[in-house]
Structure formats: structure tokens, C-alpha cells
Amino acid sequence: MEFYLTAIMLGLCLSAMALGIFITMKIFNIPDITTDGSYTLGAVMTAVLLTAHWSAWSVIPVVMLVGALAGVLTGLIHTQLKIDALLSGILVMTGLYSVNLTILGRSNVPLLNVRTVFTYLHPFSNNIFNEALTGLLFIAVLATILGYLLKTDFGIAMRATGNSSSMTRALGINNDVMKIIGLAVANCLTALSGYLVAQYQNFTDINMGIGIVITGLGSVLIGDAVIKWFNLRSVIAQLAVVLVGSVVFQLVLAFTLSVGVDPNLLKLVTSVMVLLIVSIPRLRTLRA
């Protein structure tokens, strides 16, 4: 039972990244690979500042800022240099590997003797329930703020930019600025996922972000399937489904491990799962 609770907890930590990928993939139709670098960047800044005796709460603004800056850099390369969005993300993600390694100073930093964000609330005797409560509250606040933002006039302009850039351009909206802001918000959320995961697993590793975009994409695709199935129009409902998709994705991976699959094959299992999620709707379309 505790094994699956751990999977749920990890899904909660990664759900902030899923919200970020939802913004880039489903609102702006931008395949943003910066995720791999900004996720690690958030974890790296968390490790460095916590070991420097910063409080877990004071680290949050710094993590949000560096994540947003990574997104802004990708956005500027894409919009100002007219480089494909996918390539822009790859360039920034590759550069961030060196930046992360330089900041961290070594490949791995343990966080065993620092006070993390998960140690402040302890209404339950079982520590994993306390961690889950903290994770739920943290993600609920993020999702509420993001949902409110997307329902404002500015948020509607962002969504309209992704749906029809020619229409928004005719209305006087600067599409380039909207894309840059969207990428900044998305990578800010991704960095917060790195912040949470680093503290939950009590270490930061320079390679922890490799392939993490696939995990986020799988979560978003699960949520997107439910959104289309029930024809959800509410932004809040769509965000909630994406959050649930993140937890479900981790539960499926946990079940895979529990039935005896070699942990070394976990990345392969993850890619196969995402492939299945993507291909099943297309196979149904072909049969129809």
C-alpha cells in the first residue's frame, strides 16, 4: 500500500510540470523540450539554497524566477531569431545541463539534514500522509492561481493566441510576447516540480531531468483523452484532469514495477506507455 502512496506522492510533485506542459502543448501548440533542463534547474537551485540554510519557503521565488528565465530564453530564440520551437528548446535544454552542473558543483547533492517543505505540516502520525497533504495544498494553490490567470482577459488572449494567431494579430495582440510569457509560465511550473521532487526524494542529481518531458507528456495526454471523452470546456476542469493524469501515470508505472518488471526498463516502459496513449485514438480513427 505504501508503495502506491509513494507513487501518488511523486505524481503530485510532477503535476506542476504537467500543468506547464499543458500550457505549451495544448494552449500554444509548442513542443517545448526546455522542460528537461528547467526541471533539473529547479532541483539544483533547491539543493544549493537549502544546503546554504535557506528556508524551503524562501527558495520558492528563486526557483520560479530561474525557471521563468529559462522559458523566456527559449521564447526569445524562437520568436526573435525565428528558430523552430523544438530546436529552440533543445538548444536551451542542452545549455542548461552545463549551467546546472556548474551551479551544483558535483553530480549529486543529498538533502538528508535539511528542513524541507514537507516537514512543516504533521497532523498525521504517518509521515507519508503529512507529505501528501503538503503536496496537495501546494498543487491546489498552483492550479487555482493558474486557473484564475487563464480566465482573465490576459489568459483568454493567451489561449486565443494558441488557437488562431492570425486572429489575435488582427486584434492587435503581440503573439511573440504571448508565446514568451507562456513559455516562462510553463517552465516556472516545471522548475517548481523539480523543487518538490528534490525535497521529496532528499537528493538532487544532475541527470534527474533526462527524459522527464515524456513523463509530463504522458500525464497531459491522459488528461487530454478524458477532456475529449467528456467534452470538458471549463479551464478549471481541464487543469484538474491533467493533475489527475499525472497521478494516474505514476500509479501505472508503480503497478508495472510491482508485477516484477526490471527497474532498468522503466524508461522504456514509460516511452511505450506514452506511445500507446498517443496511438490508440489514431488507430480508432483509422478503423472508422
Side-chain angles (χ1 to χ4, degrees):
M1 179 64 179
E2 196 160 312
F3 180 68
Y4 288 102
L5 286 174
T6 302
I8 292 173
M9 189 61 212
L10 186 58
L12 283 173
C13 293
L14 292 171
S15 59
M17 177 186 63
L19 292 176
I21 293 179
F22 177 79
I23 292 174
T24 55
M25 290 291 295
K26 294 302 174 182
I27 292 183
F28 287 99
N29 300 311
I30 295 176
D32 183 28
I33 308 298
T34 317
T35 299
D36 283 14
S38 57
Y39 171 81
T40 308
L41 180 61
V44 164
M45 293 304 300
T46 300
V48 169
L49 296 178
L50 286 181
T51 53
H53 308 295
W54 285 44
S55 71
W57 301 110
S58 62
V59 174
I60 293 176
V62 179
V63 169
M64 293 175 67
L65 177 62
V66 296
L69 287 175
V72 167
L73 183 56
T74 299
L76 289 172
I77 293 173
H78 171 52
T79 59
Q80 303 306 307
L81 300 182
K82 307 303 179 185
I83 295 176
D84 180 75
L86 182 60
L87 179 56
S88 300
I90 292 173
L91 290 171
V92 175
M93 178 264 291
T94 304
L96 281 176
Y97 185 90
S98 294
V99 172
N100 291 332
L101 187 56
T102 301
I103 295 173
L104 197 61
R106 48 188 170 135
S107 61
N108 187 291
V109 171
L111 298 173
L112 297 175
N113 299 314
V114 298
R115 191 175 189 189
T116 69
V117 71
F118 297 107
T119 58
Y120 286 89
L121 293 178
H122 39 80
F124 305 107
S125 57
N126 191 329
N127 193 45
I128 196 166
F129 291 134
N130 296 324
E131 293 172 342
L133 176 62
T134 302
L136 277 171
L137 291 175
F138 194 95
I139 296 303
V141 171
L142 278 183
T144 301
I145 294 173
L146 182 60
Y148 174 78
L149 172 65
L150 292 177
K151 292 178 72 175
T152 62
D153 290 343
F154 181 79
I156 292 171
M158 287 175 61
R159 291 152 59 191
T161 300
N163 287 330
S164 177
S165 58
S166 57
M167 179 193 72
T168 52
R169 191 181 300 109
L171 293 173
I173 296 173
N174 190 322
N175 292 333
D176 289 347
V177 171
M178 286 296 173
K179 288 179 181 179
I180 292 170
I181 294 174
L183 286 165
V185 172
N187 283 282
C188 172
L189 291 168
T190 299
L192 285 173
S193 259
Y195 164 84
L196 290 173
V197 172
Q199 293 177 84
Y200 178 64
Q201 64 187 13
N202 290 316
F203 72 90
T204 291
D205 188 273
I206 194 65
N207 295 314
M208 64 187 290
I210 295 177
I212 197 68
V213 66
I214 297 296
T215 301
L217 182 60
S219 306
V220 172
L221 290 174
I222 291 173
D224 188 53
V226 176
I227 290 170
K228 290 179 179 177
W229 183 269
F230 292 101
N231 196 27
L232 299 177
R233 298 295 182 185
S234 168
V235 174
I236 300 297
Q238 291 180 8
L239 295 179
V241 168
V242 170
L243 295 178
V244 173
S246 177
V247 174
V248 169
F249 193 86
Q250 292 303 317
L251 283 173
V252 173
L253 290 179
F255 174 76
T256 303
L257 291 174
S258 69
V259 297
V261 174
D262 188 343
N264 292 329
L265 300 177
L266 190 58
K267 292 289 186 183
L268 175 61
V269 171
T270 303
S271 9
V272 170
M273 280 179 55
V274 174
L275 177 62
L276 289 174
I277 295 169
V278 172
S279 61
I280 287 174
R282 287 166 173 74
L283 291 175
R284 286 181 177 176
T285 304
L286 290 175
R287 288 182 180 178

